[in-house]
Each structure stands twice: as structure tokens, then as C-alpha cells.
């Protein structure tokens, strides 16, 4: 019964307006409390920012750096509010996590020129997993509010030789655009797209894990960016213009008929010419 | 969030939540949302007794078109032609009918007399609205309802067009509602325009937009009023749709570009090995 309920809950989140994700998720958890943990870990929400006062840097919140009601900062590696026994990455993994945060901080600056990023890693039996988060808010120019959230979850299965690994990447990009102007009233275009990719790659000094993961994330984000562009500003716009036509349809029909007449006339003239 | 304390919520709270979900079904997806909600609530008695009024509210808010017997034109299910007891009227075909909210069908027809004072104004406007709808909406439906409020006549003009393509993972709907308050020589117009589009292949993307419009027209006779009103409606709806297109252009050219570049300034993808050696250098420098 709970499997079916989980399927229905996820289906519902795919249909309800994404502009109210947080409220919808909260209501859903109230409705079926037994699904709480599963829902929190599988439904992507817009990322929240918190301040690491010790290090003077912002970091992003998600289910993967949460323990109870506390969140772990990737900079100071401590929980806020403090926890005695909070879940922590192993020492070896924490070192990798520090490097990953530095690397993706630079990635973020080169592609987003601003915003906040955070990377959280956790141990698996034969490898490790991680999440790379990025959030970038627009400056509100042209009276349009915009925001981008990236959530990349990567699973790394290390082969026994230690010289290669299998990487599985699930990426969600959220894009939020809102405007409130006289001509167009309120216009709210928002939501997310999700993609998945898997590949094997050699692991070594020339291609360490972070480089392999970085390349996958970069390629994936570039692809999703293109798809967001197509869907948001192409597809949804086409759908609106398919519902109503500014140009009178009778005029359009006339134009089509005129083009058809011209095409027919040309064909007849060509046929005559051939003879 | 009520789940902060570990008390389960009341049945009344569950009803509120489930009703809210149903009322927010994207156009064309009521059945799917209904099925999801039914499984999650897991209480068909409560669903039938407490939530079923929301089905009708949803259909009215969506300006749902319905085919009628003895009429070439569909009519729309709205709050303006509701009679109570599941019944609605259609001034155009002079009949009233029972509407089934789940089957989305009309039945149990009875003759209906439109208000005689409002009727000549209503049918003049309807004739103009029909031509306008045909000219701007490829698969649209429209209705005009007339009400005599004693010393004033009110007309409500509604237009609806939708495209449902679930096999391609998208649905969309346009809704226009215009209230026309007729006085001597002038009429006040109030319009509410709404667009909703849902795209859901490997994701969930929605456009939700609405605009309120106010206008006044002057007129000579009934035919004149109908023409003036439609001129105002056409201008307002064209302006709204053009402004939406303009926003799309700005969002794509300016806002979206400023969020994330296609490539770094170097115009090449990142050299990850360089990035990793750079961060090592930073560490050695004690930053």
C-alpha cells in the first residue's frame, strides 16, 4: 500500500504547480506522515541558504547535510544548531569533500559569476556518493525576478582494482522566472527538469574522482541549460500561441490560400515551360 | 508544518489539503490528480461526502466546455450560469441541464427562458463574440449570460480554449471572463484573463499568468454596443498576449543569460586538472 502511495505522491508533485513546491510537500507529508523521510529525500525543493558565521561563508541546505533539525556546513564541517553526535563523513572522505568544494566553487564562479555552491559527500560500501548544489539569483533587472537551482547527485562505485570507477549522475535544474507588469499582469514561469547519465572512467593521478565528476556535471549542466532554454522559451511559448492567435485566423487562412495559389501558378508555368 | 509535533492531523485538515490539491490540478489532469489524492487520503467516504463539492468548483473555475443536445455550440460551466442542485442554464439554446462533474456530461434537459429584458442585448453580443472567438481561438468555446438587475443589465462573456496532449506530456488552457455593466450610453467592462501551461516530460514546468482589465465604452444601440465591446475585448486580449511574448523574449535574452553562461569567458570548457592543482596551490599558500 505504501509503495502505491509513494508513486501517487511523486505523481502529484509532477502535476501540482511547482511554484508552490514547499507548501505542497509540507501538506503531502501532513497527509501521509509515514512517507515523510522518503519524500524529503526524493522530492527536490528550491535550495535554502544559511550562513556559516565561523567561516563567514554561505552554504546550501538539503536533505543530505541534514541531521534532525540541524545542517552541516561544508566549510567548518560543524552542525548548526550544534549536535553532539551528528552524522559526519569519514576523515578520508572529508578531505575529498574539502577539495570538491574548492573545485566546484571555481566551477560556479566560471559559469554562474556569483551565487552559492556546496558539496556534501557520504560513504557507501564500495565507494561514495555526493551531492553538488548551486544556487544563483538574478538581480531583478528589467523587472523580472529569476533564480536557478542545481542539484546533482552522484554515486561512485569504485572497482576492486581501484583504477577505474562507475559513476551515476542524476541532475535536476530548477529555473524560476516571475514578473508583474502592467501589460502582462502576473507571469510566473517555473519548474525543473531532471536527467540521468552513467559512465565508467579511469581513476588515477591524471584523472582523479573530482575531475571525472566535474566533467560529467559540466557536460550535464550544459545540456540541461540548452533544454531549459528550448522548453521554457520555445515550447511553452508555442503552446500559448497555439491557444490563441493575435493575428486573425481568417487573415492567416487567406495568406495560406494565397501562398498555395502562387505555388500552383508557378507549377503550371513550369509545366508549360517544360513543354 | 504540523508534522513538527508528532500528532497526526485531523480529518478536517486532511479535507482542506486534499481539496486544495484538487483545485490546483493543471488543465486536463483532473482525473490523474483525483486518483492520486484518492490513494493518499485512503478514505472514500470522506472523499465523497466532504471533497466532492471541489469537483464542481474546479469545473466552474476552469470554464469547462460541455456539448449540449439540440445545440451546435458548446456551452461553458461557470459560476454565472449555475442554478444549484448540479444544474446549469444555457441562454443560447434556451435549455437547462444537469452536469455530472466526474463524467463531464450534460443530461436531464429542461426548457429555459432567458431574462427577456437582457436577452436582446445578450444575443447581439453573442453574435459578435462568436465571430471573434472563431477568428482568434482555433478550438475555442464561448458563452454569454444575461442578467437583469432591476435598473441595470449585466452581461457575462466567457471564452475558453484548451489543448490537451498528455501523450506529449503537455497541456494548456486559456480563459477569458468579461463582465459588462450596461448603463445609458456607456458600459463598464471588467475582464480577467488567465493562461496556464504544464509541460512534464522528465520534469515539471508550468506557466501561470493572469491579468485584470478595466475599460469603458460608449455606444448608440444594441448592435453598436456589441461591436464596441468586442473591439475593447480584442484590443485588451491582443495587448496581453503580445506583452506575454515580449516577456518571453526578455526572459530569454536577458534574465536567463545572466543566471548561467553557456560557457566560461574563456569560451572553452573547464580544465579540471588545472582547477584541482589551483586549489592545492591555495592550500599551500594557507588561504
Amino acid at each position: 500500500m505504501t509503495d502505491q502511495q509513494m508513486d501517487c505522491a511523486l505523481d502529484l508533485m509532477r502535476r501540482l504547480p511547482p511554484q508552490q513546491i514547499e507548501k505542497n510537500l509540507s501538506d503531502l507529508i501532513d497527509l501521509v506522515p509515514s512517507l515523510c523521510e522518503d519524500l524529503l529525500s526524493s522530492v527536490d525543493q528550491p535550495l535554502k541558504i544559511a550562513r556559516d558565521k565561523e567561516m563567514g561563508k554561505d552554504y546550501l541546505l538539503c536533505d543530505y547535510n541534514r541531521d534532525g533539525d540541524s545542517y552541516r556546513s561544508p566549510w567548518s564541517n560543524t552542525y548548526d544548531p550544534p549536535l553532539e553526535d551528528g552524522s559526519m563523513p569519514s576523515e578520508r572522505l572529508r578531505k575529498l569533500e574539502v577539495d570538491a568544494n574548492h573545485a566546484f566553487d571555481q566551477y560556479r564562479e566560471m559559469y554562474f559569476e556569483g551565487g552559492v555552491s556546496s558539496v556534501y559527500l557520504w560513504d557507501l560500501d564500495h565507494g561514495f556518493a555526493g551531492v553538488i548544489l548551486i544556487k544563483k539569483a538574478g538581480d531583478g533587472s528589467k523587472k523580472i525576478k529569476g533564480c536557478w537551482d542545481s542539484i546533482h547527485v552522484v554515486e561512485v562505485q569504485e572497482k576492486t582494482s581501484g583504477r577505474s570507477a562507475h559513476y551515476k549522475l542524476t541532475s535536476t535544474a530548477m529555473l524560476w522566472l516571475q514578473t508583474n507588469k502592467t501589460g502582462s499582469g502576473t507571469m510566473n514561469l517555473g519548474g525543473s527538469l531532471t536527467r540521468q547519465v552513467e559512465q565508467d572512467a579511469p581513476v588515477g593521478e591524471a584523472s582523479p574522482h573530482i575531475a571525472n565528476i566535474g566533467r560529467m556535471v559540466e557536460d550535464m549542466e550544459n545540456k540541461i541549460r540548452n533544454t531549459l532554454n528550448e522548453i521554457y522559451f520555445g515550447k511553452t511559448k508555442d503552446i500559448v500561441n497555439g491557444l490563441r492567435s493575435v493575428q486573425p485566423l481568417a487573415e492567416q487562412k487567406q495568406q495560406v490560400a494565397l501562398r498555395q495559389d502562387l505555388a500552383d501558378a508557378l507549377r503550371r508555368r513550369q509545366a508549360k515551360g517544360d513543354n | 508544518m504540523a508534522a513538527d509535533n508528532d500528532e497526526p492531523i485531523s480529518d478536517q485538515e486532511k479535507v482542506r489539503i486534499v481539496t486544495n490539491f484538487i483545485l490546483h490540478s493543471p488543465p486536463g489532469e483532473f482525473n490523474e490528480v483525483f486518483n492520486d489524492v484518492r490513494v493518499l487520503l485512503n478514505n472514500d467516504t470522506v472523499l465523497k461526502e466532504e471533497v466532492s463539492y471541489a469537483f464542481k468548483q474546479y469545473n466552474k473555475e476552469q470554464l469547462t466546455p460541455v456539448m449540449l443536445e439540440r445545440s451546435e455550440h458548446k456551452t461553458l460551466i461557470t459560476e454565472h450560469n449555475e442554478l444549484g442542485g448540479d444544474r446549469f442554464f444555457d441562454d443560447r439554446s434556451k435549455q437547462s441541464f444537469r452536469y455530472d462533474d466526474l463524467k463531464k456530461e450534460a443530461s436531464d434537459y429542461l426548457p429555459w427562458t432567458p431574462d427577456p429584458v437582457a436577452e436582446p442585448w445578450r444575443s447581439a453580443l453573442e453574435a459578435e463574440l462568436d465571430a471573434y472567438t472563431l477568428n482568434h481561438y482555433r478550438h475555442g468555446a464561448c458563452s454569454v449570460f444575461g442578467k437583469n438587475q432591476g435598473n441595470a443589465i449585466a452581461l457575462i462573456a466567457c471564452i475558453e480554449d484548451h489543448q490537451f496532449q498528455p501523450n506529449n506530456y503537455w497541456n494548456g488552457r486559456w480563459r477569458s471572463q468579461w463582465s459588462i455593466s450596461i448603463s445609458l450610453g456607456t458600459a463598464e467592462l471588467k475582464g480577467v484573463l488567465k493562461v496556464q501551461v504544464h509541460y512534464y516530460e522528465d520534469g515539471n514546468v508550468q506557466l501561470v499568468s493572469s491579468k485584470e482589465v478595466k475599460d469603458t465604452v460608449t455606444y448608440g444601440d444594441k448592435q453598436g454596443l456589441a461591436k464596441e465591446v468586442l473591439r475593447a475585448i480584442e484590443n485588451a486580449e491582443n495587448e496581453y498576449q503580445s506583452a506575454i511574448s515580449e516577456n518571453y523574449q526578455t526572459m530569454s535574452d536577458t534574465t536567463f543569460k545572466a543566471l548561467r553562461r553557456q560557457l566560461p569567458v574563456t569560451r572553452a570548457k573547464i580544465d579540471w586538472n588545472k582547477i584541482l592543482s589551483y586549489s592545492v596551490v591555495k592550500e599551500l599558500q594557507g588561504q
Side-chain angles (χ1 to χ4, degrees):
Chain A
M1 193 50 189
T2 18
D3 260 0
Q4 193 194 9
Q5 285 193 318
M6 188 60 182
D7 285 342
C8 288
L10 293 179
D11 186 72
L12 198 56
M13 290 308 292
R14 280 269 294 276
R15 298 184 191 273
L16 294 173
Q19 287 81 357
Q20 282 99 42
I21 285 184
E22 283 139 314
K23 179 170 191 306
N24 291 337
L25 186 58
S26 167
D27 280 348
L28 201 45
I29 290 174
D30 279 351
L31 190 62
V32 199
S34 60
L35 295 179
C36 181
E37 289 300 315
D38 283 337
L39 282 174
L40 284 178
S41 65
S42 43
V43 175
D44 296 315
Q45 293 188 74
L47 300 167
K48 287 204 166 60
I49 305 178
R51 185 87 179 156
D52 183 331
K53 292 192 259 292
E54 188 187 317
M55 306 294 274
K57 271 188 95 155
D58 286 334
Y59 62 102
L60 296 169
L61 310 182
C62 71
D63 207 48
Y64 298 110
N65 66 324
R66 178 182 72 84
D67 192 337
D69 290 324
S70 295
Y71 290 89
R72 180 173 67 89
S73 156
W75 314 119
S76 63
N77 199 26
T78 55
Y79 275 91
D80 179 25
L83 280 183
E84 255 194 42
D85 225 345
S87 158
M88 304 290 257
S90 62
E91 210 176 291
R92 154 195 111 107
L93 202 60
R94 171 61 189 159
K95 174 148 192 343
L96 192 62
E97 191 181 80
V98 169
D99 289 344
N101 272 287
H102 285 157
F104 280 98
D105 209 24
Q106 292 172 76
Y107 169 84
R108 176 198 45 72
E109 195 54 42
M110 290 176 78
Y111 273 99
F112 292 84
E113 297 176 323
V116 182
S117 61
S118 299
V119 181
Y120 305 107
L121 304 181
W122 58 96
D123 293 279
L124 295 178
D125 280 338
H126 300 284
F128 63 95
V131 65
I132 297 116
L133 307 172
I134 303 176
K135 188 180 187 77
K136 166 82 183 288
D139 63 2
S141 67
K142 304 270 186 49
K143 300 213 206 142
I144 299 180
K145 264 167 61 175
C147 189
W148 174 303
D149 294 280
S150 279
I151 301 170
H152 302 279
V153 181
V154 65
E155 201 184 292
V156 182
Q157 295 291 353
E158 286 165 313
K159 306 282 171 74
T160 33
S161 67
R163 281 202 297 239
S164 79
H166 184 76
Y167 300 87
K168 181 161 145 190
L169 178 65
T170 306
S171 299
T172 297
M174 305 181 137
L175 178 61
W176 312 97
L177 300 154
Q178 292 154 267
T179 171
N180 198 330
K181 295 194 225 171
T182 338
S184 51
T186 64
M187 188 171 159
N188 199 322
L189 181 56
S192 65
L193 295 176
T194 300
R195 293 283 184 278
Q196 229 177 31
V197 73
E198 282 187 66
Q199 72 180 53
D200 287 333
V203 184
E205 242 179 72
S207 63
H209 280 307
I210 297 178
N212 292 339
I213 295 171
R215 276 187 275 268
M216 278 180 86
V217 167
E218 181 177 21
D219 285 344
M220 174 66 102
E221 243 188 27
N222 283 342
K223 278 206 193 83
I224 291 190
R225 186 195 182 279
N226 284 342
T227 311
L228 283 170
N229 194 21
E230 276 166 29
I231 300 298
Y232 275 63
F233 312 114
K235 188 68 191 171
T236 69
K237 185 177 80 160
D238 289 345
I239 295 173
V240 173
N241 292 327
L243 295 172
R244 184 183 184 280
S245 169
V246 171
Q247 186 193 28
L249 294 171
E251 259 176 47
Q252 268 183 36
K253 289 205 186 102
Q254 260 177 13
Q255 279 175 2
V256 170
L258 184 61
R259 273 202 292 272
Q260 193 61 47
D261 283 347
L262 280 172
D264 289 344
L266 272 170
R267 260 197 299 275
R268 282 195 298 273
R269 190 179 306 174
Q270 268 173 355
K272 262 200 205 153
D274 287 345
N275 293 347
Chain B
M1 189 161 112
D4 278 349
N5 53 347
D6 284 323
E7 299 261 320
I9 58 173
S10 64
D11 269 0
Q12 203 175 16
E13 256 300 292
K14 288 191 181 178
V15 165
R16 183 196 66 76
I17 289 174
V18 160
T19 303
N20 188 53
F21 285 164
I22 285 180
L23 291 177
H24 280 90
S25 308
E29 297 172 47
F30 174 86
N31 288 354
E32 287 78 7
V33 172
F34 172 76
N35 285 330
D36 288 341
V37 142
R38 187 177 181 192
V39 168
L40 294 169
L41 182 64
N42 198 21
N43 188 334
D44 276 0
T45 318
V46 166
L47 190 66
K48 186 159 173 214
E49 287 175 9
E50 315 270 348
V51 183
S52 51
Y53 81 92
F55 310 159
K56 189 184 297 316
Q57 191 175 337
Y58 177 80
N59 287 330
K60 284 175 353 190
E61 281 175 10
Q62 292 285 310
L63 304 186
T64 310
V66 61
M67 297 227 274
L68 298 179
E69 279 179 9
R70 286 185 299 273
S71 179
E72 268 175 31
H73 291 91
K74 297 190 185 141
T75 194
L76 303 178
I77 299 296
T78 80
E79 60 179 300
H80 311 287
N81 60 330
E82 187 177 23
L83 290 172
D86 286 344
R87 295 192 68 81
F88 292 81
F89 66 84
D90 179 40
D91 282 336
R92 185 204 297 267
S93 61
K94 302 196 196 346
Q95 42 186 358
S96 74
F97 55 93
R98 188 187 163 275
Y99 184 68
D100 185 316
D101 288 300
L102 290 179
K103 288 204 199 128
K104 307 238 191 315
E105 281 171 3
S107 64
D108 298 335
Y109 297 88
L110 288 174
W112 167 261
T113 312
D115 181 276
V117 175
E119 181 57 14
W121 301 87
R122 191 207 66 78
S123 58
L125 187 65
E126 186 176 80
E128 291 294 324
L129 190 67
D130 282 345
Y132 169 78
T133 303
L134 211 57
N135 220 5
H136 287 277
Y137 298 86
R138 282 182 191 81
H139 5 68
C142 64
S143 291
V144 185
F145 309 113
K147 299 193 187 213
N148 178 9
Q149 293 162 333
N151 54 351
I153 292 177
L155 301 177
I156 319 266
C158 298
I159 307 172
E160 183 272 351
D161 195 345
H162 67 267
Q163 277 274 267
F164 298 158
Q165 293 210 13
N167 289 343
N168 291 322
Y169 301 101
W170 64 262
N171 296 300
R173 174 170 261 150
W174 174 297
R175 288 170 282 166
S176 301
Q177 257 186 129
W178 290 92
S179 310
I180 299 115
S181 239
I182 306 173
S183 318
L184 198 58
T186 65
E188 295 265 310
L189 270 70
K190 277 204 200 124
V192 180
L193 311 173
K194 293 188 179 165
V195 188
Q196 187 174 2
V197 173
H198 181 207
Y199 176 90
Y200 50 108
E201 180 163 25
D202 295 322
N204 180 2
V205 177
Q206 296 203 22
L207 167 71
V208 180
S209 172
S210 69
K211 181 180 180 184
E212 283 179 25
V213 183
K214 281 200 172 85
D215 204 351
T216 314
V217 301
T218 55
Y219 68 94
D221 59 10
K222 294 186 184 71
Q223 261 62 36
L225 172 68
K227 282 192 166 24
E228 286 306 309
V229 167
L230 260 309
R231 198 196 312 270
I233 288 180
E234 186 170 29
N235 282 343
E237 294 191 349
N238 279 352
E239 192 181 305
Y240 177 48
Q241 189 173 356
S242 304
I244 288 180
S245 284
E246 242 182 71
N247 271 345
Y248 265 114
Q249 196 65 42
T250 313
M251 282 175 173
S252 146
D253 287 345
T254 309
T255 325
F256 182 61
K257 281 207 163 63
L259 286 175
R260 185 190 186 278
R261 305 177 58 96
Q262 241 176 342
L263 279 176
V265 240
T266 56
R267 287 205 236 152
K269 290 206 298 184
I270 286 178
D271 180 340
W272 284 90
N273 289 46
K274 200 153 124 197
I275 278 211
L276 286 169
S277 59
Y278 179 59
S279 58
V280 170
V281 166
K282 271 183 116 170
E283 250 186 83
L284 290 176
Q285 289 175 340
Q287 278 175 342

